Amino acid sequence: MTRKITALISVLLAVLLLIAACGPTNQPVEEPTKEPEVTAQPTEAQPTEAPTPTEAPTDTPAPTDTPEPKPQINYSGNAILIDLEDDTLISTSACDYEIRDGEPWLTIITDAGDNNISFTFDETVYTEDTPIIAFKYRIGYGQSIRQTNHFYALSSAGGPSPSNGMWADIDFINDLDWHVGILVLEEKFPAAGGEWRGMRCPTVDTVGGDLAIAWFGAFASEEDVNAYDAAFNEAYGDKLVKAEKPKVEKKESVPDGLANAFDDTMYDFDDMSEGDKLDFFSGIDWMVARGTGASQFVEKDGSVVLSLQFDALYHDSLIKDGKGFTGTFDIMNNGSYSGNFGGFVFCFGDENNLNRDFYENAYGVDGNGSLVGKSGIGIDFRGGDKVYIYVNAWNVDKAKRTVIGKEVNTTVNFDEKLVHFVIDDDGTSKITVTADGTLLFTITYGDPGLVEDAVGYNERYYRSVTVADGAGNEIIKTESALMSVYDSFAFGARARNLLIDNVQLQTK
């Protein structure tokens, strides 16, 4: 048993040695590779669609306000109305218009210039069917209607035309409330014919001023006018409120480009030729406001003089306050007084005289004492020895611009020859006006500042003004004058003929 075990061991050793001898020489013995530890792997998720991103919540849109339906105007009469929301039926000059939120009317805002508004019907108006044009209006606080342009026919006969029978006026009421204006066409416009397409209308006279038009139309009779107005009031009566004073704090406005002095040049017009039009005249800072362009240079007593007929000649510069000036010129009232303005104006501001239309009547009615200028002082020749002096002022009680004036008989006949004028302003308190050495007027002034209640007037004016005639009698006095603190000067003629020569303005 022992021998067998020993022999078996020997055999096993021999086998092992043989195996070792057969392997590669010097090869390291590799350690057995360890089986990687098996760790629990998460179950692989099946691919899924990316989740749809949640949209940010949107604001719930505010509900759109449903436009308030227009009230029904219950009217069955015979009328042709202008649609005030149709811009194709409305045209303007030097003004703008709009219908404001909550207001059932058209507001017309005045600008500087030849301001007017035209309403055109969308069909022909025949006077045999609808012989009346009427409208409902309200004049804003501190405003008055500029009757320079009147109502002008737009008809088969033409227009707008200044010829007789093609224009007319009415008496406007400016108490801040609503009123109806009526024009019987054949009576007011006898030359216009029976086929109308519209009418050109005047607007208020202050820059920035407003005129409201609630309706405008052609009617068969005044009964139809009244019936439509009653129906309109029934529909909109709660909104037809009176105009109010603007609730704004007044701040001073200073004109652009104030000059230090007048140009000091003497204009004797000898470089002009007889027959030359005023349009061709070129003076330093002297400008022409053209009316009809009829003004020309003519011969008088061996000299060339200006015949001012329906235009204005004005100095474009306004001179800084406190300077004072002397203005000299020769002038003759060449013809009888026509009722329209013919003379000169001075001490006017810039804001309400931007277009310098001093040939035009900015106050009064044509042929009935028309005057010019929306501020300042004017002198109008009335024929023979008569002149009319006036001061623009603000009427607090009536909330509108007014004119305070007086016609005076002098000892000088302005129709006979060229009369030499001297306007002397000391720049502080006094102006004297003399003609051929005769004292006509003494003007004393003071209290410079803003005229608080004057709508559209934001420059400084001398508010206290007194005018005395040559004998020292007080003829004008006001504490709300619109006499500018700036020096200025202009000649104007509307349907008149003034001869003017040797013009010179000198700053002191």
Side-chain angles (χ1 to χ4, degrees), residues 12 20 23 135 177 192 252 404 411 425 455:
L12 290 174
F135 56 96
D177 212 343
E252 180 184 353
I404 305 173
T411 59
D425 179 2
V455 177

Side-chain angles (χ1 to χ4, degrees), residues 112-185:
D114 186 13
N115 45 296
N116 58 75
I117 186 167
S118 296
F119 297 101
T120 305
F121 295 101
D122 57 5
E123 60 179 288
T124 301
V125 168
Y126 296 95
T127 57
E128 61 181 341
D129 299 321
T130 50
I132 293 173
I133 284 182
F135 56 96
K136 191 178 186 72
Y137 69 91
R138 187 195 69 184
I139 298 174
Y141 180 89
Q143 309 298 315
S144 55
I145 291 295
R146 180 182 179 182
Q147 292 181 315
T148 301
N149 293 316
H150 321 288
F151 290 92
Y152 287 91
L154 304 176
S155 71
S156 56
S161 169
S163 60
N164 291 334
M166 292 293 288
W167 62 270
D169 288 309
I170 66 171
D171 292 326
F172 282 93
I173 302 173
N174 55 346
D175 61 358
L176 310 183
D177 212 343
W178 291 92
H179 300 279
V180 175
I182 294 178
L183 297 116
V184 180
L185 302 182

